[in-house]
Amino acid sequence: MNVFSKRRSNRVIRPLLALLMAGVFGFGVSAPTLSMAAPAPLDLKVDTSPQKPLVNLPDFTPIIKKVGDTVVNISSTSTKTISQGASNPFPPSSPFHQFFQQFMAPGGPKQQKVEDLGSGFIISPNGYIVTAAHVVRGADHIMVTLTNHQAYPAKLVGLSVRYDTALLKINAKNLPTAPIGNSDKLQVGQWLLAVGAPFGFFNTVTQGVVSAVNRTLPNDDQYIPFIQTDVPINPGNSGGPLLNMSGQVVGINDQIYTSSGGYMGLSFSIPINTVMRVVHALAEHKQIQFGWLGVEVQDVTAKMGQALHLKEPVGALVASVEPNSPAAKAGLEPGDVVVTYNDKPVYEVGQLPPMVGNTQPGTRVKIGILRNGKPMTLNVTIGTLPKNANEAGPGGSSSNQSGNVARLQIQIQPLTAKAAKNLGIKHGVLVIGVGSGPAAQAGIAPGMVIQDIGQKPVDSPAQLEKIVAGLPAGEPIPVRVRNGKQSLYTVVILPPAGS
């Protein structure tokens, strides 16, 4: 018997010895008794009373019963060019060309049919349907399927890439229509529903709340004031309706923020007020016009707010004003900070472009600004966004009157009239060299044009050196520079004079 079996045997023997000793010496140890009685029958009670919720939670079924039939599934087929593998790395004249050619796939790029899925919703009984532009853009064939499984070929009435909105038309009558709401009344925390076909699962309903409004996205069009939600949407939801608790469409589901390709808690929808502005123009075959102010704006950082003598770093900092633009005619100047637009607050730079872009050209609005820390109100008549903007480089300078500004550690020279015209500016000095110092730390580089420093315009190297000599040390100083077609503000902190 091995060690393990001995130990196991001891656990059995010791209880038997205890029982024997109890019987001999009367230790009062009683042995357990076994009962062979039948088990009691299962007493199962089924609750047949009317079902009532024990807690109050949202019930979304009335909304889906009201609006569900207005949601459609959209499939579009497009032709895309597909590469057929790697190309021969050697030219035909090379002796290696023929050798590698035998390993190449036959033929060049080929055309391939690609099918995309999306969603949409009906807005009129005679077959007008709204969806996202990226669902149908470039499509050769579009099919719309209703909830009753009837399928119709759809005609693309028009689309706007800038607003990612498209209008379709199918040949049908007496269709149910989705009620259109007012996205301007949305508030953070309100319940919302999304209906669509994520990953092809038709008529899927998901729910969530408004996370933020008037949200701008990086690398996206600046004229869309997105609704941010935590409503789960995925590929295939695009173009479907975002519904409020009254069963009204308040947006169209457009995109998600993800690193995996699936939903991660951040969903973005285009407000229905923006969508319908585009839809009306498309239905009437009119050009979509965008409001135009004629300024370049940037964010107000904490250092910039201190340099501009602001109580707090809020608003949109005007970096440049285009000549003869609505902003110029109204008296807006570089260095002004826009804090209200049409009586609505502007807390950050991303809020202003959608406000302006969605304003009907010709509308007169009030713009609240801070100039040198003092509040002012300007009246601006919004113009129409030009179709094409001229891109101008900094140009060259034939002047040899260069100079050095020791406190900035830069080398500069005058700006020629031709270069100033190409850039669309009237004054400034061209940076031709930057050493290790305050200018480099502020991001100023050769090729840029310094227009203002300390909110004073610069016309010549001598003037810049004179202004810099009188500026305080150790304090943030605003500097306006021109980099190609873009003007922006940066902050420099100067060392003591003579150091």
Side-chain angles (χ1 to χ4, degrees):
M1 183 179 293
N2 58 29
V3 174
F4 174 76
S5 60
K6 286 181 179 178
R7 289 178 179 174
R8 184 176 57 184
S9 299
N10 288 339
R11 294 193 189 101
V12 178
I13 294 172
R14 286 172 183 170
L16 293 175
L17 291 174
L19 290 174
L20 292 173
M21 292 176 65
V24 175
F25 299 103
F27 285 169
V29 179
S30 60
T33 59
L34 298 177
S35 175
M36 301 301 292
L42 178 64
D43 187 12
L44 179 63
K45 295 182 180 180
V46 179
D47 187 1
T48 59
S49 62
Q51 294 182 1
K52 294 182 179 180
L54 299 179
V55 293
N56 291 324
L57 292 175
D59 182 8
F60 305 122
T61 53
I63 299 175
I64 301 304
K65 288 180 180 179
K66 176 183 178 181
V67 187
D69 288 343
T70 70
V71 183
V72 301
N73 303 312
I74 299 173
S75 62
S76 62
T77 305
S78 58
T79 304
K80 296 184 179 181
T81 302
I82 307 297
S83 176
Q84 297 296 305
S87 60
N88 196 317
F90 297 97
S93 59
S94 171
F96 296 101
H97 178 82
Q98 189 63 32
F99 173 77
F100 277 93
Q101 191 63 30
Q102 60 183 320
F103 300 106
M104 300 295 104
K110 294 184 178 180
Q111 302 294 315
Q112 181 173 326
K113 295 289 184 180
V114 178
E115 185 176 2
D116 293 315
L117 293 176
S119 306
F121 54 96
I122 306 168
I123 61 170
S124 69
N126 60 341
Y128 281 96
I129 294 167
V130 173
T131 187
H134 70 265
V135 173
V136 295
R137 186 183 181 189
D140 303 320
H141 186 65
I142 304 171
M143 288 295 296
V144 170
T145 305
L146 309 185
T147 54
N148 60 7
H149 304 292
Q150 286 185 305
Y152 298 85
K155 173 186 176 183
L156 177 63
V157 178
L159 61 80
S160 170
V161 176
R162 189 183 292 270
Y163 280 136
D164 199 17
T165 299
L167 181 63
L168 307 179
K169 178 69 170 66
I170 62 174
N171 188 16
K173 296 180 180 180
N174 302 321
L175 297 176
T177 59
I180 304 300
N182 185 356
S183 53
D184 289 343
K185 293 184 178 181
L186 281 177
Q187 296 184 15
V188 175
Q190 287 184 333
W191 283 100
L192 296 170
L193 292 184
V195 188
F199 299 110
F201 293 101
F202 295 161
N203 309 113
T204 296
V205 180
T206 52
Q207 55 82 24
V209 298
V210 179
S211 302
V213 294
N214 297 322
R215 183 75 81 193
T216 54
L217 301 182
N219 303 322
D220 214 294
D221 195 276
Q222 59 182 349
Y223 280 168
I224 300 178
F226 283 101
I227 304 166
Q228 180 185 330
T229 75
D230 69 344
V231 180
I233 65 174
N234 285 288
N237 273 113
S238 292
L242 187 70
L243 305 170
N244 62 15
M245 292 298 97
S246 298
Q248 300 170 327
V249 181
V250 292
I252 62 175
N253 300 314
D254 191 64
Q255 55 187 288
I256 57 177
Y257 187 87
T258 179
S259 60
S260 64
Y263 170 74
M264 294 182 66
L266 297 174
S267 306
F268 298 93
S269 303
I270 307 172
I272 196 62
N273 290 12
T274 301
V275 170
M276 294 311 295
R277 179 169 171 259
V278 177
V279 166
H280 287 305
L282 295 175
E284 297 171 6
H285 304 286
K286 293 181 179 179
Q287 182 180 2
I288 302 171
Q289 294 183 329
F290 302 92
W292 178 57
L293 188 57
V295 296
E296 289 180 315
V297 290
Q298 68 181 80
D299 202 7
V300 180
T301 63
K303 281 188 176 180
M304 186 62 70
Q306 185 181 356
L308 296 174
H309 310 290
L310 305 180
K311 293 182 179 179
E312 52 183 342
V314 296
L317 174 60
V318 177
S320 69
V321 178
E322 190 166 333
N324 300 318
S325 66
K329 294 175 181 178
L332 209 61
E333 299 177 359
D336 291 342
V337 179
V338 178
V339 291
T340 63
Y341 180 87
N342 203 20
D343 296 326
K344 296 180 180 179
V346 179
Y347 296 111
E348 57 184 21
V349 65
Q351 291 179 275
L352 186 60
M355 290 179 174
V356 176
N358 288 292
T359 302
Q360 187 66 29
T363 305
R364 191 171 178 83
V365 300
K366 292 181 180 179
I367 296 182
I369 64 169
L370 295 175
R371 181 174 293 173
N372 297 322
K374 298 179 180 179
M376 295 179 60
T377 300
L378 301 177
N379 294 311
V380 183
T381 301
I382 299 300
T384 303
L385 181 69
K387 291 183 179 181
N388 299 312
N390 294 326
E391 296 187 8
S397 174
S398 59
S399 173
N400 293 321
Q401 299 176 359
S402 61
N404 295 314
V405 183
R407 290 187 76 188
L408 284 173
Q409 290 294 305
I410 60 171
Q411 187 177 10
I412 54 175
Q413 66 183 30
L415 191 66
T416 64
K418 181 179 179 181
K421 183 178 180 181
N422 290 337
L423 289 169
I425 58 178
K426 296 181 179 179
H427 60 84
V429 293
L430 180 65
V431 178
I432 59 175
V434 179
S436 178
Q441 294 170 2
I444 298 174
M448 294 183 178
V449 176
I450 297 178
Q451 294 183 268
D452 305 318
I453 186 168
Q455 296 183 296
K456 295 179 180 180
V458 175
D459 292 308
S460 66
Q463 187 181 24
L464 176 62
E465 190 169 6
K466 182 179 179 180
I467 295 172
V468 170
L471 293 174
E475 296 183 9
I477 306 295
V479 181
R480 184 164 66 109
V481 299
R482 185 80 171 182
N483 186 20
K485 68 172 184 177
Q486 182 183 19
S487 289
L488 56 89
Y489 274 91
T490 186
V491 174
V492 298
I493 299 179
L494 297 170
S499 61

